[in-house]
Amino acid sequence: LEGRAPVGELAQRLAFLAEADRLKSVYRASTLGDASRHENSAEHSWHLALYALVMAPHAGAGTDIGRVIRMLILHDLVEIDAGDVPIHAANGAAHHGAAQAAAEEAAARRIFGLLPAAQGQEFHALWAEFEKNESPDAVFAKSLDRAQPVMQNIVSGGGSWIEYEVTYAQLVERVGVRIERGAPHLWRWLDARAQGFFNRPQ
Amino acid sequence: LEGRAPVGELAQRLAFLAEADRLKSVYRASTLGDASRHENSAEHSWHLALYALVMAPHAGAGTDIGRVIRMLILHDLVEIDAGDVPIHAANGAAHHGAAQAAAEEAAARRIFGLLPAAQGQEFHALWAEFEKNESPDAVFAKSLDRAQPVMQNIVSGGGSWIEYEVTYAQLVERVGVRIERGAPHLWRWLDARAQGFFNRPQ
Ligand SMILES: [Ca+2]
């Protein structure tokens, strides 16, 4: 059962895996379903990989779920350096700033740079594909990344929608459009439940 | 980009994903690398999926890393009902008890049973294959599941080895033999560092 990769590269791979551990200490705007605490980006990434596995039958033709899962496992590692920027923070403006994109690119270079070169380049390219959000795999992965916090907010009774005073129109504009692009049935299901929250008696 | 699965099954899939969220509240014996807190089974499962992705070049011929990753994403879900049994608890005896195995089988039936039948059966079978630890994919996945806590203990300076007063001989017997079976180079690397801990000046 021995693989044939050079044993000398093991130290680099394990240094990367030890560094990746820090993602467990990056906290997000969303909470756990029971609202007991905020969730971190490592457990969020696990949940997303599970979303991809479970939602695979709803993915469009041409989607490679194995690649989607790999993207989702890797997609937040840059937050170890660049932090998580909540999508509803700064009235929705912070998430797509050029400064944030530059910080994330530098983070990707540093973190994936810990690996043997060929593997680091492969992971960096997969992360860049996710960020670009154009290939079918990236579009589906990004839809799930936007859907999971909506689900967390539905289950926990508002979560980051309350914290950031989000309106239904903002949810549709910042999140809904993207979920619908890759997973239209899923968005319709979430949308109906989200409306239940936003139309609740005040 | 619309998949062709029945829309009516979405509610079952989302109920499963909401239930799976509870794995983020199951805590393990191992700590984070910085020893700041114990890690939970959801972020541990993410870390293991990343281990599989990174260690793929060291896997033996006949290993399907995509299946290994799926196994590792699913492997701890039963702990939502059955809890995590630390491998070094009760002097190493608790982990493989018949009562624990029965509790985990009941948990698998309940939790995977939340899904549409065909998908639930597929996941249950993948989890059972992991537990059986015979197929090449399961043996590699199990090796990584045993290696990651060793790495966490090496990085954090002892962790659960200190808490459960583990000896080097117990580490080899309870953990090392299994890591070596699926990932011999990895065990040699970890073994050398573990010996550094167990042979430290007292
Ligand atoms: Ca993110």
Side-chain angles (χ1 to χ4, degrees), chain A residues 2 21 24 33 39 47 184, chain B residues 2 17 21 24 33 39 47 184:
Chain A
E2 298 221 335
D21 187 75
K24 299 169 189 169
E39 70 171 356
H47 210 176
Chain B
E2 299 220 335
L17 289 165
D21 187 75
K24 299 169 189 169
E39 69 170 357
H47 210 177

Side-chain angles (χ1 to χ4, degrees), chain A residues 43-51 148 152, chain B residues 17 20-21 24:
Chain A
E43 62 199 0
H44 161 74
S45 297
W46 165 76
H47 210 176
L48 281 180
L50 189 63
Y51 265 73
Q148 186 262 0
Q152 296 300 103
Chain B
L17 289 165
D21 187 75
K24 299 169 189 169

Side-chain angles (χ1 to χ4, degrees), chain B residues 6-201:
Chain B
V7 178
E9 293 182 345
L10 262 178
Q12 287 168 281
R13 290 188 229 276
L14 286 160
F16 170 84
L17 289 165
E19 182 69 13
D21 187 75
R22 294 173 59 199
L23 196 60
K24 299 169 189 169
S25 300
V26 175
Y27 283 88
R28 298 167 40 79
S30 318
T31 68
L32 303 194
D34 66 7
S36 56
R37 61 169 175 81
H38 285 256
E39 69 170 357
N40 69 61
S41 291
E43 62 198 1
H44 161 74
S45 297
W46 164 77
H47 210 177
L48 282 179
L50 188 63
Y51 265 73
L53 197 48
V54 167
M55 289 298 168
H58 295 275
T63 313
D64 177 342
I65 289 296
R67 289 189 83 243
V68 170
I69 290 173
R70 285 161 150 83
M71 272 182 202
L72 291 170
I73 291 167
L74 298 173
H75 84 292
D76 269 345
L77 281 169
V78 294
E79 294 181 358
I80 290 170
D81 288 356
D84 177 61
V85 180
I87 199 156
H88 297 298
N91 205 23
H95 201 264
H96 294 292
Q100 183 64 18
E104 292 184 354
E105 178 58 38
R109 270 198 301 272
R110 184 189 74 77
I111 296 167
F112 296 128
L114 297 171
L115 287 163
Q119 188 168 52
Q121 284 156 19
E122 180 197 331
F123 290 5
H124 195 140
L126 210 51
W127 170 78
E129 180 181 333
F130 171 82
E131 283 296 312
K132 209 168 171 195
N133 196 21
E134 287 177 0
S135 73
D137 293 345
V139 169
F140 190 64
K142 193 71 94 172
S143 292
L144 298 180
D145 188 34
R146 293 289 177 269
Q148 186 262 2
V150 173
M151 185 67 180
Q152 296 299 103
N153 283 352
I154 289 169
V155 171
S156 67
S160 63
W161 294 334
I162 295 172
E163 192 175 345
Y164 291 99
E165 302 182 332
V166 177
T167 67
Y168 175 69
Q170 288 168 339
L171 175 71
V172 171
E173 181 202 329
R174 294 176 192 165
V175 172
V177 171
R178 264 192 187 177
I179 301 175
E180 189 166 36
R181 191 168 159 219
H185 292 311
L186 177 57
W187 170 244
R188 245 160 280 149
W189 196 93
L190 293 172
D191 186 23
R193 273 92 196 154
Q195 289 190 40
F197 170 82
F198 287 100
N199 296 330
R200 73 196 181 285

Side-chain angles (χ1 to χ4, degrees), chain A residues 28 41 44 75-76 79 84-85 95 130 145-146:
Chain A
R28 299 167 40 79
S41 291
H44 161 74
H75 85 291
D76 269 345
E79 294 181 358
D84 176 60
V85 179
H95 201 265
F130 171 82
D145 188 34
R146 292 290 178 269

